Amino acid sequence: WRFLFMAECEELHERYAQMIREALEQIIANANEPVEVVRRAVESIAFINDDRVRRIIADAYAHSDPRMRLSAVFAMGRSAEQVWAENILGELENQEADMRYEAARASGELQLKRAVPQLIKLVQGADREVQSVSIWALGQIGGKQARKALEQMVEQGDDEQSAAASEALQE
């Protein structure tokens, strides 16, 4: 993924960027590739912002394998495109903790202000990883409501929450 990010920032020669993209697209299109390999290719290619990549992410999100859906939500956040906001906001309510985790992370990546109330609720949930990434996301998003919630966590949260909230406030 690092090289595609560099390519999007025009820090990598266009020829190399095209070679990487083509290799990832071949992996994604190959039905014989293991799901784990395809997932990582989808996550990596998400830095490229064009219609083909948006279709790849949408197809992964519609995939029957829940692991592909997780990678699609990860890719939505990495894409930095607001077009995915409704999908991500909906997944914050998902019954599965791993999907809530990815949706919270993507909310932070996209700085989805509309996610703040749900992220605050996720911080109060039982899953520590979801709590942690939700605190991080609040720091990425910012705003008065997020700041107030993070300040309360610094004062009233357990040691782990307090430390994470303090770090998030520095964002």
Side-chain angles (χ1 to χ4, degrees):
W1 66 265
R2 181 180 312 142
F3 295 109
L4 282 175
F5 180 72
M6 289 172 61
E8 279 297 298
C9 296
E10 298 180 356
E11 296 174 5
L12 182 67
H13 192 280
E14 193 175 317
R15 183 182 81 166
Y16 297 124
Q18 188 59 34
M19 289 171 52
I20 294 167
R21 179 189 180 130
E22 289 171 4
L24 290 170
E25 286 180 351
Q26 286 176 1
I27 289 168
I28 292 165
N30 185 345
N32 295 321
E33 286 287 352
V35 169
E36 289 302 318
V37 173
V38 176
R39 288 182 64 196
R40 301 308 173 224
V42 169
E43 292 170 4
S44 295
I45 206 168
F47 281 117
I48 299 172
N49 294 318
D50 65 22
D51 288 338
R52 267 190 358 220
V53 172
R54 281 188 284 280
R55 171 60 31 212
I56 287 169
I57 295 170
D59 289 346
Y61 189 62
H63 200 279
S64 62
D65 190 317
R67 297 172 296 172
M68 284 297 292
R69 290 180 51 83
L70 285 171
S71 289
V73 172
F74 179 94
M76 289 173 186
R78 181 169 274 179
S79 76
E81 292 194 86
Q82 294 294 314
V83 68
W84 304 114
E86 295 305 319
N87 300 91
I88 292 166
L89 291 168
E91 295 299 350
L92 288 170
E93 303 281 346
N94 195 293
Q95 295 298 312
E96 299 298 323
D98 53 355
M99 183 58 86
R100 290 192 310 275
Y101 177 94
E102 292 301 342
R105 190 203 55 74
S107 295
E109 293 273 345
L110 294 181
Q111 298 180 346
L112 294 178
K113 293 210 180 291
R114 291 186 300 153
V116 169
Q118 186 58 32
L119 291 168
I120 293 169
K121 288 179 189 174
L122 290 176
V123 170
Q124 299 165 0
D127 190 283
R128 295 300 274 185
E129 290 180 3
V130 173
Q131 287 177 1
S132 178
V133 76
S134 296
I135 292 169
W136 172 85
L138 288 167
Q140 296 299 305
I141 296 167
K144 291 179 185 178
Q145 187 179 17
R147 174 174 284 287
K148 182 179 176 184
L150 290 169
E151 288 171 347
Q152 286 178 340
M153 285 177 236
V154 168
E155 296 295 322
Q156 300 169 359
D158 61 33
D159 289 345
E160 190 175 322
Q161 281 183 335
S162 180
S166 179
E167 188 175 317
L169 280 167
Q170 293 176 17
E171 291 292 323

